[in-house]
Amino acid sequence: MTSSFHFSLLFFFLLSLSPALAKTSFHPHALLLPVQKDPSTLLYVTQLNQGTPLASENLTLDLGGQFLWVDCEKGYSSTSYRAARCGSAKCSLAGADTCVDCSSAATRPGCSKHTCSLFPENTVISAATIGDLGSDVVSIQSTDGFNPGGIVSVPRFLFVCAPTFLLKGLPSGVKGMAGLGRTKISLPSKFSSHFGINKIFAICLTAATRGTGVVFFGPGPYHFLLNTDASTSLFYTPLLLNPISTAAAYSKPTASSDYFIGVTSIRINQITVPNINASLLSIDREGNGGTKISTITPYTVLQTSIYNAVTEFFQNQLSGIPTVAATPPFVLCYNVTNFLSTRVGYNVPPIDLVLQNETVTWTILGANSMVQVSNEVMCLGFVDGGLNPRTSIVIGGYQIEDNLLQFDLGASRLGFTSSLLFRQTTCANFNFTSNT
Ligand SMILES: *[C@@H]1O[C@H](CO)[C@@H](O)[C@H](O)[C@H]1NC(C)=O
Ligand SMILES: *[C@@H]1O[C@H](CO)[C@@H](O)[C@H](O)[C@H]1NC(C)=O
Ligand SMILES: *[C@@H]1O[C@H](CO)[C@@H](O)[C@H](O)[C@H]1NC(C)=O
Ligand SMILES: *[C@@H]1O[C@H](CO)[C@@H](O)[C@H](O)[C@H]1NC(C)=O
Ligand SMILES: *[C@@H]1O[C@H](CO)[C@@H](O)[C@H](O)[C@H]1NC(C)=O
C-alpha cells in the first residue's frame, strides 16, 4: 500500500513536471537567421516568426540597431501580444521610463494604455519616433553550426511597436528592423539571456542573388560547405564602446549601440597611406570620430580627408593604369580588362585596416574593394562622407560580404576572418538543408 502510494506520487510528479522540464532543459547550442540582400536598396533582409498565430515577417538587419521594432499599425494581430506596463521590470530592463497612454478608445498592439515607450529608429533614413514597448512570442531555428535544427521560441520577446511610416526607404515587404546592437534588449542579448547561450553572435553576409547568408547567435562551429569552420580562423580586435549615443533620438544619455573598432592607420599595397589625421580615427569625448561597422550602409563611407588620402594613394599605386569616367557614387574607376580576375576578386592593391598593432590587420581584397558597375567598368567601392560626419569611417555592407564577423560581447572583441573566398567558400554556403 505504502509503496504503491509512493509510486503514484512519484508518477504524478513526473507527469506534472515533464512538460516544464522538456521546455527548459532544451538548451540549443546556437540559433540561426537566414539573410538575403535586397538588390534594389542594397540592404539585408532576414525572417523571424512572431505572434499568435505565428507569422513570418521580413525585417531589415541592423547590426548597430538597438532592438527589434515592427510596424504594428498595419497588419499586426496577435493574441499573445502584451504591452509593457509603465514601471514594470520589462520597462526598466529596456531603460524605458517614458509612460504613454494611447488616446484612441480601441487599444491594439502599438496603441495601449499606461505603456512605457522607446524611440524606434529607421537608421537608413535617420528617422525616429515614439513607440510602445511590448512583448510577443518569437520563434527561431536552432543550429549545431552545420545545419538548421529544431525551432525554439521565446514566449515574451521584447520589441517596440512602430507606425507604418517608419518603414520608408526599407526594402518592399519589410515590416521593421532587427537590431543586433549593444543594448540589453537587442536580439543577441534577448536570445542569450533566454537560452543561456554565450553572448556571442556572428554575421556572414552574401550579395548572391538567391543566395542566403546567415546570422549565428551563439558560439561556433560556423560551418560552410564544403568543409570550412569559419570560427577556427578568426583574428581578434577589441570592440570599442562609444560613450555617446549615435541614435537619432533618446530620452536620456546612453552609450552608442553601434559596434566600433580601433582602426589606427590604413595601408595600401603594404604602405601606410600618408596624411590621415589620427585624431579622426579615435572617438572623442563628444562621441565623434572612430570606426564602426554597419549593415545599413551599402558601401564604406570615409570622412572627406580620409577619403581623399585613400583614393589618391590607391590611384598612385596603379599609376600605370588609366582611369575611366566616374560612375556615381564612385569616383575612381577602371576598365576591368586591365586587371586579372582571381579567386578573391580583381587583382588590385590590397587595402589593410591596421588595428591595435601593426600585425593585426583587416585586409580588403578586390572582391570587397572593387564594385563592378558594368561589364567593362569597376570602381573603388568607397564613398565620401563629407567633412564632418559623426563617425569618420563606417565600414559598409559591401566590404563585409563573404567575411565572417563574430561579435563576442562577453570578451568585448570582434573576431574576423577576412575574405572567406581565400578558403574556397562563401557566406552563401551554409547548408540550410535541415537534418531533423
Ligand atoms: C520575405 O522575403 C523573402 C525573400 O526575399 C520573400 O521570398 C518573401 O516573399 C518575403 N515575404 C514577405 C511577406 O514579403
Ligand atoms: C584633425 O582632425 C581634428 C578633429 O576633426 C581637427 O580638429 C584637426 O584640425 C585636424 N588636423 C588637421 C591637421 O587637419
Ligand atoms: C575597356 O577595354 C576594352 C579593351 O581594350 C575596350 O574594348 C573597351 O572599349 C574599354 N571600355 C571602356 C569603358 O573604356
Ligand atoms: C598585436 O596584438 C595581438 C592581439 O592583441 C597580440 O597577440 C600580439 O602579440 C600583438 N603584437 C605585437 C607586435 O604587439
Ligand atoms: C547538407 O546537409 C544535409 C543534412 O545533414 C546532408 O544530407 C547533405 O549531404 C549536406 N550537403 C552537403 C553538400 O554536404
Side-chain angles (χ1 to χ4, degrees), residues 36-37 45-47 56-59 172-175:
Q36 303 88 24
K37 187 172 190 172
V45 176
T46 188
Q47 288 82 40
S56 168
E57 60 201 11
N58 284 350
L59 301 162
S172 96
V174 152
K175 296 292 285 174

Side-chain angles (χ1 to χ4, degrees), residues 265-308:
S265 64
I266 299 175
R267 289 195 302 233
I268 294 177
N269 251 351
Q270 316 283 335
I271 311 164
T272 301
V273 176
N275 304 322
I276 290 184
N277 181 343
S279 70
L280 290 172
L281 296 180
S282 56
I283 302 167
D284 72 14
R285 268 179 305 164
E286 280 86 50
N288 298 318
T291 301
K292 74 175 183 182
I293 306 171
S294 168
T295 57
I296 52 139
T297 305
Y299 303 101
T300 294
V301 180
L302 304 172
Q303 186 272 352
T304 297
S305 67
I306 302 175
Y307 175 81
N308 289 337

